[in-house]
Amino acid sequence: FYVLSSPSSGSQVVAAWASVPFPALPGCSLADTLCAYQQDVPWKLLSSWREQKVNCCFAQSVVLRGLGKESSSSQCPAKQPQSALHSCGSPEQVLQHYLHTMFPGAFSTAYLLQQPCSTLPPYPQFFSPLLTREGFLQDRPPTYPTAAVTSVPVLAALQSSSVLQGLLRSLHRDLQKLNLRRWLSFFSAGVEEDNFQEALEELRTLSQCYETGLGADESEDEADSD
């Protein structure tokens, strides 16, 4: 999903990312959990776009809910060496430090909410048997049937990053291939072909705002190969 806005500075686009559930272990601190994800973040892009690796992030807003204040202290067996994340004074500081480490130079905001997301009926029970009733991950499935998952910790993020450059270019190329004469309902609804072409050009221009070095070159190569 993508959110578009038109502030006075011009159109902006952000990509939506999420982790449902957030991979937290029972009794472990947020620092313990994030230490296991030093190479890649534990959330995924909510889009079918094939590119998931963020080469450059400009700004982001991240919300994590379902981890209480007690997540700043750990009762988890030590699996990771103590890190800079463990020296942070609160879970909010842990998440903020993690974002600055993974995306240096990006403007990042982080928010933590204690209330988890409810998964009571009619929410579908498609969760792994590794999840506890509260949505925390276990090392191994229980030996006996457990109750349905009633809530899960969730992380959601809105991010302005290099991923958008490729996605916007791909969208522009797909729209260019449309045969407008086959979509007469657009024109009967008041859409003018000139306006459509103008919007198409604005989309191409907007994609250029997210070009960053190698990512831009790769997208150009893809466009040439189409």
Side-chain angles (χ1 to χ4, degrees):
F1 296 91
Y2 297 87
V3 180
L4 290 90
S5 61
S6 298
S8 57
S9 59
S11 297
Q12 296 183 3
V13 186
V14 291
W17 303 68
S19 180
V20 184
F22 181 74
L25 300 174
C28 293
S29 69
L30 180 58
D32 293 328
T33 300
L34 293 178
C35 274
Y37 296 91
Q38 296 292 331
Q39 301 301 318
D40 198 9
V41 294
W43 52 87
K44 298 296 183 181
L45 181 64
L46 298 182
S47 168
S48 58
W49 176 242
R50 63 187 178 276
E51 179 61 57
Q52 295 279 335
K53 182 67 174 179
V54 176
N55 296 320
C56 179
C57 178
F58 311 113
Q60 59 188 337
S61 178
V62 178
V63 177
L64 174 60
R65 58 182 299 176
L67 296 182
K69 295 295 184 182
E70 64 275 7
S71 62
S72 58
S73 59
S74 178
Q75 303 171 4
C76 185
K79 296 183 179 180
Q80 299 287 338
Q82 294 292 298
S83 67
L85 292 176
H86 291 87
S87 65
C88 297
S90 67
E92 289 88 351
Q93 293 175 356
V94 170
L95 182 56
Q96 191 75 47
H97 188 283
Y98 178 77
L99 294 175
H100 284 310
T101 301
M102 297 300 292
F103 306 102
F107 175 79
S108 302
T109 60
Y111 304 93
L112 263 71
L113 305 175
Q114 294 191 45
Q115 186 68 28
C117 288
S118 174
T119 56
L120 295 173
Y123 199 96
Q125 289 293 314
F126 49 66
F127 299 108
S128 165
L130 291 175
L131 286 186
T132 67
R133 191 169 182 267
E134 294 77 24
F136 293 96
L137 283 174
Q138 305 175 94
D139 290 332
R140 58 183 63 88
T143 57
Y144 53 89
T146 57
V149 177
T150 59
S151 63
V152 291
V154 171
L155 182 142
L158 294 177
Q159 190 178 76
S160 176
S161 70
S162 55
V163 168
L164 293 165
Q165 186 260 343
L167 185 139
L168 292 171
R169 281 187 178 275
S170 177
L171 178 59
H172 177 262
R173 291 196 300 269
D174 289 342
L175 291 174
Q176 276 187 314
K177 298 175 183 178
L178 288 179
N179 184 355
L180 296 182
R181 293 183 178 84
R182 297 181 57 186
W183 304 93
L184 298 178
S185 58
F186 279 97
F187 300 112
S188 63
V191 178
E192 298 290 343
E193 184 171 359
D194 289 344
N195 292 339
F196 176 80
Q197 295 299 332
E198 181 181 349
L200 201 58
E201 178 61 23
E202 290 178 352
L203 180 61
R204 186 190 68 82
T205 302
L206 183 61
S207 71
Q208 296 174 347
C209 296
Y210 300 92
E211 291 182 354
T212 54
L214 180 60
D217 296 338
E218 290 174 347
S219 295
E220 292 289 354
D221 293 340
E222 290 176 3
D224 294 339
S225 64
D226 286 346

